Amino acid sequence: MELSLLAAETGMQNIFTPLSATAHFVFCIIATIVYLLQFYRRGSWHYILIMLAIDLTFLTQTPVCRGQSAVGVLGIIEALVLIAAFVVYLPYGKKLKAEAAAADAETDKENARQKEAERTEAEKDSNPVDNAFED
């Protein structure tokens, strides 16, 4: 407690906030926009949780997180939010892999059909004498 009072009296910077409040706020706004766009585009809730974890870091700029114990609690909360984001991401990642595998299988089928058509056309064109009398 005495250390925080001394810091306030002498104008020392809070050791938990390497950025100025304005720079930190701008960073949080940019991160919020980016992760909201990702959520809108891809639809996975882990983007919202990551955004929340980033935005929670702004609490270090407020009087709520002036002590080491408050910063420790904030760190634990952020770790829990990031773990939750990872847990939410796991099914989403599996769904993406399944979609990619299905798309690859469809592409492989289409390539096989195309190669078979080219092979048939090449066989047809390889014998011009017989092809002249087919029509």
Side-chain angles (χ1 to χ4, degrees):
M1 184 72 176
E2 286 180 13
L3 182 61
S4 63
L5 290 176
L6 179 63
E9 289 175 7
T10 61
M12 293 176 60
Q13 183 179 357
N14 183 352
I15 61 169
F16 303 115
T17 58
L19 298 174
S20 69
T22 304
H24 200 154
F25 185 71
V26 169
F27 170 75
C28 288
I29 293 295
I30 291 170
T32 298
I33 291 168
V34 167
Y35 282 107
L36 283 176
L37 286 173
Q38 287 295 87
F39 174 73
Y40 176 73
R41 287 180 55 218
R42 303 210 175 141
S44 178
W45 284 94
H46 80 278
Y47 292 114
I48 298 296
L49 291 170
I50 293 171
M51 178 194 73
L52 176 65
I54 291 170
D55 289 345
L56 281 174
T57 63
F58 191 74
L59 287 176
T60 60
Q61 298 285 349
T62 65
V64 173
C65 288
R66 292 293 182 206
Q68 268 187 316
S69 60
V71 173
V73 169
L74 179 63
I76 291 169
I77 291 170
E78 291 210 24
L80 292 174
V81 170
L82 290 174
I83 289 169
F86 179 71
V87 169
V88 169
Y89 173 76
L90 290 176
Y92 176 73
K94 286 180 183 179
K95 183 179 94 168
L96 285 179
K97 284 182 184 178
E99 288 173 356
D104 288 345
E106 185 63 33
T107 303
D108 290 345
K109 286 181 185 178
E110 184 61 34
N111 287 342
R113 281 189 226 126
Q114 186 177 5
K115 284 183 182 181
E116 185 60 37
E118 288 173 357
R119 189 177 305 120
T120 303
E121 190 65 31
E123 286 175 5
K124 193 188 256 188
D125 290 344
S126 67
N127 198 352
V129 174
D130 291 340
N131 291 341
F133 299 107
E134 282 184 7
D135 293 336

